[in-house]
Amino acid sequence: MNAEEIESVKTFEKGLKEGDKVRICWTNSGSVYKAEAEVCKVNRESIIAELTEVVKHTCGSNYLIGQKIKAPRLTIGSGGDLWSNNNRVEPIGGY
C-alpha cells in the first residue's frame, strides 16, 4: 500500500460509528470470508461488526445473521500487523 491508500483506510476507519453498514473480511481455519455487516463497536485497535447475511463456512457450518465478527483496525506500529486485505473492515463496494 502506498501512503495515499493508507490515509484512505485511516480516514474511513476513523469515521466509523455504530450502525454503519460495511463489508467485513476475516480469516478462519485457512479460509477467507467476506460479508456485509453493521458496525456494533469501534475500539482503538479493532472493529466489531454484526453480520447481516449468512456466510457458508468451509467446514459445513454457517456464520449466521447477527453473529459478531472482530476485525483489526489499521494501526501502524500497534497491532497493524494483524490488518490485511483479508482481515479488515472496508466500505461496501470497496475503496
Side-chain angles (χ1 to χ4, degrees):
M1 290 180 69
N2 64 36
E4 186 176 299
E5 292 168 327
I6 289 171
E7 278 309 308
S8 177
V9 171
K10 285 183 173 181
T11 300
F12 169 73
E13 290 182 349
K14 186 177 182 180
L16 284 174
K17 58 190 178 309
E18 289 182 25
D20 284 350
K21 306 290 187 204
V22 296
R23 176 165 299 280
I24 190 163
C25 311
W26 73 100
T27 57
N28 188 10
S29 302
S31 296
V32 177
Y33 303 94
K34 295 183 180 188
E36 291 190 10
E38 184 174 306
V39 174
C40 298
K41 188 171 184 179
V42 179
N43 298 312
R44 186 170 56 93
E45 294 187 2
S46 65
I47 298 162
I48 299 171
E50 189 173 285
L51 297 179
T52 58
E53 64 180 313
V54 174
V55 178
K56 179 119 174 84
H57 191 288
T58 54
C59 72
S61 61
N62 293 327
Y63 289 98
L64 303 175
I65 292 173
Q67 187 165 350
K68 292 180 179 156
I69 305 292
K70 181 178 176 182
R73 291 178 71 176
L74 179 61
T75 51
I76 304 291
S78 178
D81 56 327
L82 301 174
W83 186 96
S84 73
N85 285 331
N86 295 327
N87 206 16
R88 69 181 184 174
V89 170
E90 62 186 34
I92 293 175
Y95 287 100

